[in-house]
Structure formats: structure tokens, C-alpha cells
Amino acid sequence: KQYTPIMQSVLRQSWQDLPEREVGRVLVLYTGGTIGMKDKGDGFEPAPGFIHETLVTLPMFHDPAFGTPTMESVPSTPSSSPSPSFSRRRGSLQSPMVWPSAGGPSDFMFVTPVLKKGKRAVYRVLEYHPLLDSCNVTDRDWARIAHDINDQYKDWDAFVVLH
């Protein structure tokens, strides 16, 4: 169900108010690739911000009762933790690839509707900068993705790599 902006402000909830037992924490690493490509007229290219633009329009991926995802304590440097405030441990993301300049378009917390088992997924989409084109990905890029997951392993319940 779509809500007007006025209704959204009345209905807006904060993901931070959800009991931890009702939430699964997911870190999504959006690295580029086909899933985030847009037609540029002369072909498809990875498009910064496209994933955020798409997710906010799909209620199955973000509950409108939580309003439009906004920056919530998102760090602006690679040495800051992208972990939500209910994180078990504060970590440090070492790879500069993951952080767009000063809080890019996809550094937002999303909240799914209640899922089958009564839980929600609260997830952050971290967009790599620059986005990687599949034909240019090297072993070094895949190793960097693995290191990013390793660095944040204790802070999140699950990881998704979008490419």
C-alpha cells in the first residue's frame, strides 16, 4: 500500500526501535554488475544510486511504514563502521572501495515487511565506488569483497553480494 508523504510522516517508525530478536541484520555489498545496470542509450552500464532508487519503490524490499530510507548515523570515511546501532561489535571496514564519497546514494538502512517467521530484515546497502563492470573484475576485486565481508563478519547476521 502506498502512503502519501503526510501519512508516511505519521506512520514512520524507526528500525532502531525494533526488538533485536525480531530483526535479522544483513549487509548488502553492491559491487556493480548486471543487476544494477541502466540503459545509457548506447549500451548498459553500472549506474550509481540505481539500487537505492529501485528498492525504495518496492514494498517487498522496504516497508513504507518506515518512510523513505535516510542516512542514519552513516559514517563518511572508510575507517568508520557501517554497522547498525544494535551491532554486537563495532568493527572497521578497511577497504576504501565500499565507501562512496561522503555518504553516497545507497548508504541507507532498509527494513523489510514482516517475513514468514515473524522477523524483519534490516539491511544496509553499501555501494562500491567505482561500481565494477563484470568484464573488468579481477581476482584482486573478488579478494577485496571477501576481505570486506571478513572485516564485518561479527557485526551482521548475513551478507549479500550484488553483482
Side-chain angles (χ1 to χ4, degrees):
K1 180 177 180 178
Q2 296 293 329
Y3 296 102
T4 65
I6 293 172
M7 284 299 293
Q8 277 192 353
S9 67
V10 171
L11 295 172
R12 182 177 306 234
Q13 301 177 35
S14 173
W15 63 267
Q16 295 160 322
D17 295 333
L18 296 170
E20 187 171 350
R21 70 182 177 285
E22 296 176 12
V23 174
R25 300 169 304 239
V26 180
L27 180 62
V28 178
L29 302 175
Y30 169 49
T31 63
T34 307
I35 197 162
M37 287 188 168
K38 286 180 97 172
D39 188 358
K40 301 290 185 174
D42 59 344
F44 287 85
E45 294 179 6
F50 178 70
I51 292 298
H52 176 265
E53 292 170 15
T54 302
L55 290 174
V56 297
T57 66
L58 301 170
M60 69 187 105
F61 290 107
H62 183 69
D63 187 338
F66 287 84
T68 301
T70 58
M71 302 277 286
E72 295 195 38
S73 303
V74 176
S76 61
T77 64
S79 62
S80 301
S81 172
S83 306
S85 63
F86 52 60
S87 165
R88 291 180 209 143
R89 174 185 70 83
R90 286 306 217 199
S92 174
L93 191 58
Q94 299 300 317
S95 172
M97 284 283 295
V98 176
W99 291 100
S101 59
S106 291
D107 290 341
F108 298 91
M109 293 303 289
F110 292 88
V111 182
T112 65
V114 176
L115 304 170
K116 288 183 182 179
K117 299 204 178 204
K119 289 183 93 172
R120 293 179 185 268
V122 172
Y123 63 101
R124 171 159 284 146
V125 178
L126 292 180
E127 185 174 284
Y128 276 40
H129 179 76
L131 292 170
L132 305 173
D133 189 331
S134 301
C135 63
N136 297 325
V137 173
T138 66
D139 291 342
R140 177 180 251 161
D141 295 316
W142 289 115
R144 190 172 6 226
I145 294 166
H147 286 281
D148 290 342
I149 292 171
N150 184 62
D151 290 344
Q152 295 299 310
Y153 194 77
K154 292 181 182 175
D155 294 330
W156 300 88
D157 298 320
F159 296 87
V160 175
V161 176
L162 291 180
H163 187 87

